[in-house]
Amino acid sequence: MFRKLIAILLSVIFLAGCGNGTTEENSASEGTVKSQGRILNLCAFTPDTLNPLATALRTNMDLLYLVYEGLFCVEEDFSATPVIAKGLHYEGGVWATVFLKQGIKFHDGSACTAEDVVYSFQQAKKYQPFFSATLSNIVDCRAAGEYEVAFTLAYPQPNVANLLTFPVVPSTLTEPDFSSNNAAFVPVGTGPYCYESSMAYRNITLMRNPQWHGDNRPNIERIRVSYIKERDLGVYAFDAGEMDMITTDIYDWGGQPFARDIRLVETTDNHLTFLGINHGNLLLSDPMIRNTINQMIDKKELVTDYLYSHATAADVPVNPKAYFSSVEYQEITPDLELIHKLLVESGWMDLNGDGILDRQIEENEYSLSFSLLVSTGQPVRRAVAEEISAVAGRIGMKIAVEMVDYSTYLARIEARDYDLFLGEMELTSDCNPRHLLHSAGEKNYFGYYDGQMDALLNRLAVEDMSSVYENFEAKFMTDMPFVCLYYESHALLCAPSIKGEISHPRTAPYNGLVGAYVE
């Protein structure tokens, strides 16, 4: 009953905010059918600003890609599609040149040129933390012509185009436009939708851009985005039929079941959960021990039991959706008895009868006993850690879960004050693992240094990616610098009324709606 009352109340609230002009409808029959292509109802958090280079809300920035565009768009398989750019010239050094399409106009009628791209790059580096990792290897950007932009890199870079997805804004914007709290900002981009109207703190309406330069004109004429303050409000509104679509940025997997059928467009995100390993620990510096830890974990079971199957088990830090990935996860149930037997055969034995395997190394006795650092406040991660701990006990290894607050967790990882830690990381869309595994990598918190791995990572920028990645993945599986667990999934949850083709680009997930329509 409570759920129904919430749905009715939300219906009243959202209809009051929308007015009458939502769609053309045929009310002659009991089941009203919306005309094809008219309006799509979405929701987003109450915005701090609608400037995509200043907002602190990732969900809202994803929506703003309907209004703004980048030089390139990264597709589901990590290939790059030119958007404002028409091409890129790069020969594996530290200079890359992007050539822009001519004739692209902002919604106010002004031309989009190299000056706007350079200005947008500078503002993205200055204001937008979402691009800090993506743009960290680009140290300079300048106009080399009216429709030509030159980028300077700190070091050779694979998939350069995948870095150039920042939204391009007009260079006429001023410093006040980049205020972190500017509710009055009116978005003006080059994208398939342009600003039409808004109601302060309630909603914004976008209309199809009649002058859009793209090949495929969107079917949906208008998009109304209603503002919400809490995730639950968006979920209830979607379930009540007031919203046509939400994403897993708003709906948490494993939350309440929906009262109606939904259409799910799911993809493997680039968010990796892994087990970090301190190579400064004498026992963990042994690749055999690291591989033993990897082999004992049933990753598929973790995904099923704790992620509701909304994740993809992984063995390497290369997204399985990537077009150059060569390693498929081997779904093999670990044989814990065999793993224990192999440890014993390699010289490990229980010397004191406590169930933990021990070994004499250079007059010192060592036990297969480690601590696992986990941040508090994340119940899923804690459950995964406790499962790993329980499995370890069955092969004669002790892994004690140590829960600490988040600031302590980060400080100890940076100081390398841990044995193991359960971590997660949003990998950049260029799929370059250099920052994690290169001896000079800024996020190599593991103390892993290997000349052969450095050479492979250096070759990624100058040779055929598919062949180099095959060698990289083989090297990773042998050395096991850290243990990959799974990539989480991201999804668009659509009402049954959303028909037509829907893709799931990584840069701008809502732009996969170009081929969709509302029935």
Side-chain angles (χ1 to χ4, degrees):
M1 175 61 73
F2 175 75
R3 185 183 179 87
K4 290 183 177 179
L5 287 173
I6 288 288
I8 292 171
L9 177 60
L10 285 168
S11 177
V12 172
I13 291 173
F14 279 102
L15 286 176
C18 292
N20 296 324
T22 55
T23 63
E24 293 181 6
E25 299 185 13
N26 175 14
S27 56
S29 61
E30 184 177 350
T32 300
V33 178
K34 294 183 178 181
S35 300
Q36 175 177 331
R38 291 303 179 190
I39 194 164
L40 180 74
N41 288 295
L42 304 176
C43 63
F45 295 111
T46 303
D48 44 8
T49 173
L50 293 174
N51 183 338
L53 297 182
T55 182
L57 301 171
R58 183 58 182 265
T59 301
N60 291 25
M61 193 178 73
D62 285 344
L63 273 166
L64 287 169
Y65 270 111
L66 290 165
V67 178
Y68 295 91
E69 296 175 303
L71 295 173
F72 295 87
C73 175
V74 180
E75 304 297 345
E76 186 177 15
D77 67 350
F78 292 92
S79 60
T81 299
V83 183
I84 291 177
K86 67 176 180 181
L88 179 146
H89 176 72
Y90 178 63
E91 295 182 346
V94 292
W95 294 279
T97 303
V98 172
F99 305 96
L100 307 181
K101 296 176 182 176
Q102 299 185 29
I104 294 180
K105 295 185 181 296
F106 287 102
H107 299 149
D108 61 4
S110 61
C112 178
T113 66
E115 180 182 358
D116 302 298
V117 174
V118 173
Y119 178 78
S120 300
F121 169 82
Q122 294 168 343
Q123 303 310 308
K125 293 272 278 191
K126 183 177 181 180
Y127 291 106
Q128 186 46 274
F130 298 133
F131 292 103
S132 59
T134 304
L135 299 178
S136 62
N137 189 35
I138 304 179
V139 295
D140 190 34
C141 171
R142 62 179 178 82
E146 188 175 7
Y147 296 99
E148 190 173 320
V149 183
F151 293 91
T152 306
L153 311 176
Y155 49 81
Q157 168 76 47
N159 283 342
V160 174
N162 291 35
L163 305 178
L164 306 177
T165 60
F166 55 89
V168 175
V169 301
S171 58
T172 52
L173 296 184
T174 62
E175 289 298 312
D177 290 320
F178 289 89
S179 167
S180 59
N181 187 13
N182 184 358
F185 183 87
V186 175
V188 176
T190 62
Y193 288 88
C194 52
Y195 172 86
E196 182 179 52
S197 62
S198 62
M199 296 181 66
Y201 306 108
R202 298 181 72 172
N203 62 47
I204 180 174
T205 301
L206 307 176
M207 63 180 292
R208 187 167 57 197
N209 177 13
Q211 305 301 321
W212 187 47
H213 62 92
D215 295 331
N216 300 313
R217 189 167 180 255
N219 291 319
I220 297 170
E221 292 182 0
R222 280 179 171 78
I223 296 176
R224 178 174 291 114
V225 183
S226 297
Y227 298 149
I228 58 174
K229 293 184 178 180
E230 299 175 359
R231 288 170 176 258
D232 287 349
L233 188 60
V235 175
Y236 281 126
F238 174 74
D239 205 19
E242 298 305 325
M243 296 296 111
D244 296 315
M245 180 181 298
I246 59 173
T247 71
T248 44
D249 294 323
I250 294 176
Y251 174 72
D252 290 322
W253 289 122
Q256 66 192 59
F258 291 109
R260 59 174 179 163
D261 292 335
I262 62 171
R263 179 181 177 184
L264 189 67
V265 182
E266 186 173 356
T267 190
T268 302
D269 209 344
N270 215 25
H271 192 93
L272 174 66
T273 296
F274 62 94
L275 202 61
I277 299 176
N278 187 351
H279 291 242
N281 180 298
L282 177 64
L283 300 184
L284 295 174
S285 66
D286 184 351
M288 188 203 80
I289 300 298
R290 300 197 298 268
N291 272 284
T292 297
I293 294 173
N294 179 63
Q295 291 160 8
M296 77 181 187
I297 302 172
D298 191 335
K299 301 171 186 178
K300 184 65 175 179
E301 187 174 83
L302 293 182
V303 167
T304 302
D305 293 351
Y306 303 110
L307 279 300
Y308 305 95
S309 296
H310 297 303
T312 301
D315 283 327
V316 294
V318 180
N319 195 294
K321 288 282 187 179
Y323 69 89
F324 46 79
S325 176
S326 64
V327 172
E328 292 186 7
Y329 171 68
Q330 300 299 311
E331 190 176 331
I332 301 174
T333 302
D335 187 336
L336 300 182
E337 291 185 4
L338 176 59
I339 293 173
H340 178 271
K341 179 182 177 183
L342 293 174
L343 283 171
V344 171
E345 290 177 352
S346 66
W348 290 90
M349 62 188 69
D350 186 359
L351 297 176
N352 52 19
D354 63 356
I356 304 173
L357 296 178
D358 313 287
R359 189 171 185 177
Q360 199 81 15
I361 303 177
E362 295 181 355
E363 300 181 355
N364 294 314
E365 184 179 307
Y366 292 88
S367 296
L368 283 178
S369 180
F370 312 105
S371 64
L372 173 55
L373 196 64
V374 183
S375 173
T376 56
Q378 297 177 315
V380 172
R381 241 201 264 189
R382 178 170 188 163
V384 168
E386 290 174 346
E387 176 66 21
I388 292 172
S389 175
V391 170
R394 295 171 61 186
I395 67 166
M397 182 184 294
K398 180 181 179 181
I399 295 182
V401 178
E402 183 182 2
M403 305 294 299
V404 297
D405 64 82
Y406 187 61
S407 59
T408 301
Y409 169 83
L410 291 179
R412 287 183 57 180
I413 290 173
E414 290 186 11
R416 213 172 296 158
D417 178 20
Y418 67 89
D419 294 331
L420 306 166
F421 73 89
L422 190 59
E424 57 185 40
M425 182 178 295
E426 187 73 31
L427 301 179
T428 51
S429 58
D430 60 330
C431 294
N432 184 6
R434 176 190 172 93
H435 62 294
L436 285 172
L437 295 168
H438 196 280
S439 59
E442 60 273 20
K443 292 187 178 179
N444 183 351
Y445 301 126
F446 320 111
Y448 169 72
Y449 306 113
D450 184 277
Q452 186 180 356
M453 177 64 81
D454 282 0
L456 282 169
L457 295 171
N458 292 337
R459 286 168 50 198
L460 275 175
V462 296
E463 297 182 24
D464 177 66
M465 285 189 61
S466 297
S467 62
V468 178
Y469 260 107
E470 185 175 354
N471 293 329
F472 161 75
E473 290 166 335
K475 173 68 172 172
F476 185 92
M477 291 292 291
T478 300
D479 286 8
M480 200 56 61
F482 58 88
V483 175
C484 297
L485 297 177
Y486 51 80
Y487 288 90
E488 295 183 19
S489 294
H490 187 274
L492 301 173
L493 288 74
C494 309
S497 58
I498 306 300
K499 305 294 184 182
E501 182 180 352
I502 301 177
S503 62
H504 199 302
R506 295 183 181 275
T507 301
Y510 288 102
N511 286 20
L513 296 171
V514 169
Y517 60 91
V518 182
E519 184 177 74

